Amino acid sequence: MSSIGIEEQPPTALLVGASRGLGLAMAAEFVSRGWHVVGTVRGTAARTPLHELADRADGKVTVEHLDINEPAHLPPLRERLARRRFDVLFVNAGTANDEHTPAGSVSTADFVDVMVTNALGPLRVIEALEDLVSPAGLIGAMSSGQGSITNNTTGGREVYRASKAALNMFLRSFAARQGGTGRAVVLMAPGWIRTALGGPDAPFTIEETVPPVVDVLLSRLGTPGLAYLDRFGRTVPW
């Protein structure tokens, strides 16, 4: 890929929310496949496992700083990355509240925090950075099977579910506005994973989850339009 003012570079992924957990593992997986990665972390002071990966990656990993709940962080990041082009932009950042609290009992502050972090924040990131993505690239976000309205037969984790359903709707609208482009848009439902967010009782490890997640993302390159998929490439019902 080349253009006036744009640097030549190998295949590159921009991963938002890559300091630990699934985002960190995705960064390592892309690097293992010969990609370069720009990964974001929330803070500006403390070192993270992503910094450690960058130390080992022979120049293939760059660490940037972004709090997706702070819109003012986006223009400076956009400016710092202006001379780069990305084959993949994927937003992994997310949070949850107490899963046992029914929606009607959740405090307004907790509701706003989950909704902004899981739905509005990712959309803001995508809207701000999507022009850095190749015309034939991929834009995606980490959703959840719990964002499926059809599959919600048990309740529980109600605000988290609602935030992921909202994210799904936002990306569906974004994809509709992308009509006529060659970009893929992917909402990924990776399954219940043993991470800080998923907890110790989750049945699947990061190590067994991330390679198929990356497989699915790469398989969608060159396939325009929106898909809501699990880590095996199966369509998740809305």
Side-chain angles (χ1 to χ4, degrees):
M1 294 173 289
S2 64
S3 181
I4 295 174
I6 303 300
E7 297 172 351
E8 294 276 0
Q9 61 181 35
T12 306
L14 173 54
L15 304 180
V16 175
S19 63
R20 61 178 182 165
L22 287 175
L24 174 67
M26 289 177 66
E29 182 68 19
F30 272 105
V31 169
S32 75
R33 300 182 188 214
W35 283 54
H36 285 207
V37 170
V38 176
T40 74
V41 301
R42 187 173 183 178
T44 58
R47 280 180 61 83
T48 71
L50 183 65
H51 291 87
E52 296 171 7
L53 175 64
D55 289 344
R56 304 190 303 269
D58 194 25
K60 294 180 180 178
V61 175
T62 303
V63 180
E64 287 283 355
H65 301 283
L66 174 67
D67 183 340
I68 65 169
N69 291 347
E70 296 291 342
H73 289 189
L74 284 165
L77 177 64
R78 170 67 179 74
E79 181 64 25
R80 293 195 299 273
L81 299 177
R83 289 177 56 81
R84 306 194 68 165
R85 283 293 176 266
F86 296 95
D87 300 278
V88 170
L89 164 61
F90 191 85
V91 183
N92 175 67
T95 192
N97 65 313
D98 182 352
E99 64 182 273
H100 302 296
T101 305
S105 301
V106 171
S107 71
T108 299
D110 281 353
F111 180 85
V112 170
D113 179 58
V114 175
M115 284 291 183
V116 171
T117 303
N118 290 358
L120 181 59
L123 183 70
R124 283 173 168 164
V125 170
I126 288 169
E127 295 276 14
L129 303 179
E130 59 96 8
D131 66 319
L132 301 179
V133 180
S134 163
L138 179 144
I139 295 171
M142 193 68 80
S143 184
S144 170
Q146 294 189 8
S148 168
I149 294 173
T150 299
N151 284 350
N152 183 7
T153 60
T154 62
R157 306 194 80 183
E158 293 170 13
V159 174
Y160 179 80
R161 287 180 185 273
S163 71
K164 292 300 186 178
L167 172 66
N168 292 353
M169 181 61 78
F170 285 160
L171 265 290
R172 189 156 191 167
S173 295
F174 173 80
R177 289 186 274 115
Q178 292 279 304
T181 75
R183 289 181 180 146
V185 181
V186 176
L187 287 155
M188 172 56 61
W192 187 14
I193 316 301
R194 288 199 290 274
T195 63
L197 186 63
D201 297 328
F204 303 110
T205 67
I206 289 176
E207 291 76 16
E208 65 188 312
T209 299
V210 165
V213 164
V214 173
D215 285 341
V216 170
L217 295 179
L218 296 183
S219 75
R220 296 296 299 179
L221 286 169
T223 305
L226 175 67
Y228 180 21
L229 304 172
D230 69 14
R231 69 177 183 275
F232 304 108
R234 300 176 301 204
T235 296
V236 181
W238 296 96

